[in-house]
Amino acid sequence: VYKRQIPDDYVSNITERLRLYNQLDNTKDEEELLAFIKSLHDRFGVLPQSVIDLTETVRLRWFAEQLGFEKLKLIGGVMKGYVKVEKNDDYFQSDIFGRVLSYIQQHPQTASFKEHKGKMILTFKRTDAIETALAVLGGI
């Protein structure tokens, strides 16, 4: 089980931890994320695995947003990306959706999609770690 957090023993001040979570949540690109990571390292020392996982989660969120997913879940070795079907016709005609479909066609054993309650749910099996999820979404 991955813990994606800033541990108390890494940053002891709760106000500072909350500020760091906010700063991380507001990073917009890889350059800002790398600067954030460097700042943490400079101020608090070597990043614990839980902080590395937390920063990787931000990258995962960016990939999901680029692919048009409004929500992404990674539970029990399965990753699910959700796309609203209603009023999203442009998305389903886009190159991005074409790449998603192409990925699903090339990986029928591990990738699929279905519509459920007004949402398109894209399912990616055998995605048991953040690194695997990053590789899957990055491969699209």
Side-chain angles (χ1 to χ4, degrees), residues 29-48:
D29 57 34
E30 188 67 21
E31 185 179 332
E32 284 183 17
L33 183 60
L34 292 174
F36 176 81
I37 292 168
K38 182 179 182 330
S39 170
L40 283 180
H41 185 272
D42 291 349
R43 290 180 63 202
F44 304 106
V46 176
L47 279 66

Side-chain angles (χ1 to χ4, degrees), residues 39-58:
S39 170
L40 283 180
H41 185 272
D42 291 349
R43 290 180 63 202
F44 304 106
V46 176
L47 279 66
Q49 188 61 48
S50 62
V51 175
I52 293 168
D53 293 343
L54 182 64
T55 61
E56 291 297 288
T57 301
V58 171

Side-chain angles (χ1 to χ4, degrees), residues 23-124:
Q23 183 181 351
L24 179 61
D25 190 48
N26 289 313
T27 58
K28 301 296 180 219
D29 57 34
E30 188 67 21
E31 185 179 332
E32 284 183 17
L33 183 60
L34 292 174
F36 176 81
I37 292 168
K38 182 179 182 330
S39 170
L40 283 180
H41 185 272
D42 291 349
R43 290 180 63 202
F44 304 106
V46 176
L47 279 66
Q49 188 61 48
S50 62
V51 175
I52 293 168
D53 293 343
L54 182 64
T55 61
E56 291 297 288
T57 301
V58 171
R59 287 185 175 106
L60 190 59
R61 183 182 73 204
W62 292 339
F63 274 131
E65 288 171 355
Q66 290 171 358
L67 293 172
F69 300 168
E70 67 169 356
K71 180 167 67 168
L72 188 71
K73 288 184 179 182
L74 180 59
I75 300 172
V78 176
M79 178 172 56
K80 292 185 179 184
Y82 298 80
V83 177
K84 280 187 182 176
V85 173
E86 185 179 303
K87 298 179 183 176
N88 214 351
D89 291 338
D90 289 344
Y91 174 75
F92 294 107
Q93 302 299 321
S94 71
D95 289 340
I96 292 171
F97 186 65
R99 291 197 323 256
V100 171
L101 283 180
S102 178
Y103 183 91
I104 291 169
Q105 290 168 345
Q106 293 170 15
H107 302 88
Q109 299 299 317
T110 58
S112 62
F113 71 94
K114 67 179 180 178
E115 186 178 342
H116 181 70
K117 295 184 180 181
K119 294 189 189 286
M120 178 73 65
I121 303 171
L122 299 133
T123 302
F124 306 90

